[in-house]
Amino acid sequence: MFRNVAELVELAEKKGQKISQVMIEAEIEVSGRTREAIMEEMYRNLDVMEKAVRRGLTEDIRSHSGLTGGDAKKLQQYMQEKPFLSGPTLLNAVSMAIAVNEVNAAMGTIVATPTAGACGIVPGTLFAISDKLQPTREQMVDYLFTAGAIGFCIANNAFISGAAGGCQAEVGSATAMAAAAIVEMAGGTPEESSQAVAIALKNMLGLVCDPVAGLVEVPCVKRNAMGAAIATVAADMAMAGIRSVIPTDEVIEAMYRIGCTMPTTLKETAQGGLAATQTGRMIEAKVFGVPLK
Amino acid sequence: MKYKSVFDIIGPVMVGPSSSHTAGAARIGRVARKLFGKQPTKAEITFYGSFAKTYKGHGSDVATVAGILDFDTDDLRLKDSLQIAKDLGMEIEIRTSELLTEHPNTSRICLSEGDATVEVVGVSIGGGKIEIIEINGFDFQLSFHAPTLMVLHRDRFGMIAAVAKVLTAHQINVGLMEVSRLVKGADALMAIEVDSPLSAEVLEEIRQIPHIKEVSLLSFS
């Protein structure tokens, strides 16, 4: 079993395999389950993701608090009516990431990737890139194994939850995972996937977890949106041959150290950052029907 | 390595909004329920750290009670757990504590019916993954990702060997084992993660070993 991204890339290169295949074989080895059982479980996850994307883009989603919902549709509408500036794949990824995260905020069914708070980025980029590249269903499942392999390295060497390491650990990890998977689906090398991870994660370093009223809504939905955008651009940069000066595993280590020194007010306690703004406090008071502190 | 499977990262399938505060909270509740072995009439839940600060926003209370009702993380009834528990006559008490815990997302769950009680402390470490760090005062570090045999016994020599002998006879492989005791010579609790499910006969055979008080198997798949 690989312990970090460098070992993962080395294994893939040595065997002449894609990252997804290395992950599948490691899973077979460690879990003792059959390849068929493992593939079947990931196909099921893919189906749940697809439903969540579709729900977010077509239904009128509204969270219980009323703070989020409807933005995925808004962006799709805009793309149809206006000469938008960024590319269609990028905006599709952004709107689909929003869609899944809006479904999550409304207590709908999603797949945690790696967490529920960051559940929009991996499926959002997957279905948008798939619209462009037209992969097979199996390649779409491979996308999830590649994303999983990177998340596995980050989870075991740093953290993936906002409470433990801030939003950089949550949306940051998801963004890095998606970046690597996009590269593989687009035909890039394992090394280029690793570079995409470094480039993506660097741009998430220091990001705090400051949910307004403690709800996974503000700013989570918009951070998922931008995570999808960063993942897509990082993948393009890596495939252009741009390299991260700081090696990938050292970027992950930096993320870990930053998370350890981050004050608890900024780690999913709703006590700092956006949660502590005047408007954030007003929303909190309104949602829970209590007077302002 | 804390995370062992790709499905710890891509998964679980769950009802939102938070993997640590909803899915993880539900899983801790479900471990408590499985350890108790039946529907309790009373559940006392204490939240610490980030759980204490944000449980209302994340629905950690709703999720924990759903777990106590034996619902899985993707069960659509999760949202309505408080009402379902009320209809079933389950008394629920939710408290928060300012006490500093090692991990930010910690909950303590005490389930009871009459004199029967079970008390579990769990932490939600991220992505829906949990660790149970205390069961009825015994210290542990268990994830319950594999079927886990729990054996309560008197703290005597040869107990581990006696249980292992039964498992050996039935060709059951052990993945992980922890033994914990409060006081030397009093009660001790064994937790044994096994690779294959155990039949009722195997459990009964272990139950027949002298000085063994309780045997149960926890399995979530």
Side-chain angles (χ1 to χ4, degrees), chain A:
Chain A
M1 183 57 107
F2 50 90
R3 283 167 301 179
N4 52 41
V5 178
E7 287 184 14
L8 172 65
V9 171
E10 196 188 320
L11 259 174
E13 283 174 349
K14 206 168 77 189
K15 294 180 170 178
Q17 286 180 330
K18 292 176 175 175
I19 289 176
S20 51
Q21 300 313 308
V22 174
M23 184 71 248
I24 293 168
E25 283 182 12
E27 184 72 21
I28 294 171
E29 193 189 316
V30 172
S31 70
R33 296 165 70 197
T34 63
R35 178 181 292 267
E36 289 68 38
I38 290 164
M39 296 305 285
E40 198 186 315
E41 183 167 351
M42 202 57 104
Y43 272 103
R44 270 205 304 275
N45 285 345
L46 180 65
D47 290 343
V48 173
M49 289 177 192
E50 190 166 31
K51 272 191 203 118
V53 169
R54 201 180 314 129
R55 274 196 70 193
L57 291 183
T58 56
E59 291 178 26
D60 285 317
I61 305 289
R62 216 13 66 199
S63 69
H64 183 64
S65 71
L67 285 174
T68 55
D71 286 351
K73 284 177 90 170
K74 213 175 265 176
L75 196 52
Q76 286 288 334
Q77 187 87 24
Y78 164 77
M79 287 168 71
Q80 280 166 19
E81 291 170 358
K82 299 271 169 67
F84 54 95
L85 302 174
S86 42
T89 304
L90 193 73
L91 278 193
N92 255 331
V94 169
S95 74
M96 288 176 182
I98 294 174
V100 178
N101 217 246
E102 285 180 339
V103 167
N104 178 61
M107 289 188 93
T109 306
I110 54 91
V111 183
T113 53
T115 64
C119 69
I121 297 157
V122 168
T125 51
L126 166 56
F127 286 95
I129 302 291
S130 295
D131 278 353
K132 186 177 170 73
L133 299 178
Q134 297 293 318
T136 62
R137 202 76 182 164
E138 190 173 351
Q139 285 171 316
M140 293 176 80
V141 166
D142 284 348
Y143 187 102
L144 298 178
F145 280 108
T146 302
I150 299 301
F152 184 87
C153 294
I154 298 174
N156 280 317
N157 290 290
F159 19 49
I160 52 170
S161 82
C167 196
Q168 56 163 9
E170 200 158 330
V171 163
S173 296
T175 303
M177 288 158 58
I182 295 168
V183 167
E184 183 177 304
M185 185 179 265
T189 65
E191 176 56 27
E192 285 165 354
S193 279
S194 166
Q195 293 301 319
V197 169
I199 294 167
L201 191 55
K202 274 185 202 179
N203 285 284
M204 289 285 174
L205 290 182
L207 195 61
V208 303
C209 181
D210 50 354
V212 168
L215 304 168
V216 190
E217 298 195 49
V218 178
C220 318
V221 173
K222 291 185 186 77
R223 287 202 182 138
N224 272 260
M226 297 314 284
I230 286 177
T232 310
V233 176
D236 266 332
M237 286 171 72
M239 287 188 288
I242 296 172
R243 295 184 61 84
S244 169
V245 173
I246 309 297
T248 309
D249 290 309
E250 290 183 39
V251 175
I252 293 170
E253 193 195 327
M255 190 269 272
Y256 177 67
R257 275 188 280 106
I258 292 167
C260 288
T261 50
M262 205 179 266
T264 54
T265 52
L266 301 172
K267 288 196 274 197
E268 209 172 350
T269 50
Q271 290 181 311
L274 295 169
T277 57
Q278 195 184 355
T279 302
R281 288 297 182 214
M282 270 165 57
I283 291 169
E284 185 182 19
K286 202 173 137 211
V287 167
F288 298 121
V290 292
L292 271 173
K293 277 174 213 160

Side-chain angles (χ1 to χ4, degrees), chain B residues 149-153 158-170 172 174 177 190-192 194 198 202-203 205-207 209-212 214-215:
Chain B
L149 178 67
M150 305 294 301
V151 181
L152 181 70
H153 59 93
M159 295 308 298
I160 295 170
V163 173
K165 199 176 156 195
V166 176
L167 296 178
T168 308
H170 292 275
I172 288 154
V174 171
M177 178 168 188
M190 246 185 252
I192 305 169
V194 289
L198 303 184
V202 178
L203 293 182
E205 218 172 297
I206 295 170
R207 209 168 274 131
I209 300 170
H211 306 302
I212 282 187
E214 275 174 50
V215 179

Side-chain angles (χ1 to χ4, degrees), chain B residues 72-144:
Chain B
D72 206 347
T73 55
D74 62 347
D75 196 315
L76 292 173
R77 294 173 295 174
L78 187 142
K79 286 189 238 187
D80 309 314
S81 70
L82 294 180
Q83 188 59 48
I84 295 171
K86 201 177 160 194
D87 293 344
L88 289 167
M90 194 196 296
E91 187 189 336
I92 293 161
E93 250 184 66
I94 310 256
R95 293 188 208 104
T96 58
S97 169
E98 292 287 325
L99 211 69
L100 268 181
T101 50
E102 206 173 308
H103 192 278
N105 288 327
T106 303
S107 63
R108 176 182 292 272
I109 300 169
C110 185
L111 303 182
S112 59
E113 183 184 22
D115 289 341
T117 63
V118 72
E119 192 169 13
V120 170
V121 180
V123 298
S124 180
I125 64 171
K129 207 165 161 55
I130 62 158
E131 271 172 18
I132 298 299
I133 57 170
E134 197 186 307
I135 299 168
N136 289 343
F138 295 104
D139 291 333
F140 279 106
Q141 202 179 342
L142 296 166
S143 64
F144 290 100

Side-chain angles (χ1 to χ4, degrees), chain B residues 4-106:
Chain B
K4 294 189 173 70
S5 165
V6 69
F7 297 108
D8 290 337
I9 308 296
I10 308 294
V13 174
M14 55 167 284
V15 172
S18 167
S19 47
S20 51
H21 293 66
T22 318
R27 282 178 164 174
I28 297 171
R30 198 149 177 242
V31 168
R33 162 64 184 265
K34 295 272 192 201
L35 282 165
F36 193 61
K38 59 185 172 182
Q39 179 97 13
T41 49
K42 190 172 181 192
E44 295 162 85
I45 302 159
T46 310
F47 290 128
Y48 304 85
S50 172
F51 266 176
K53 301 280 184 234
T54 66
Y55 80 88
K56 281 185 189 156
H58 286 123
S60 312
D61 49 347
V62 177
T64 303
V65 171
I68 294 168
L69 291 168
D70 208 12
F71 297 169
D72 206 347
T73 55
D74 62 347
D75 196 315
L76 292 173
R77 294 173 295 174
L78 187 142
K79 286 189 238 187
D80 309 314
S81 70
L82 294 180
Q83 188 59 48
I84 295 171
K86 201 177 160 194
D87 293 344
L88 289 167
M90 194 196 296
E91 187 189 336
I92 293 161
E93 250 184 66
I94 310 256
R95 293 188 208 104
T96 58
S97 169
E98 292 287 325
L99 211 69
L100 268 181
T101 50
E102 206 173 308
H103 192 278
N105 288 327
T106 303

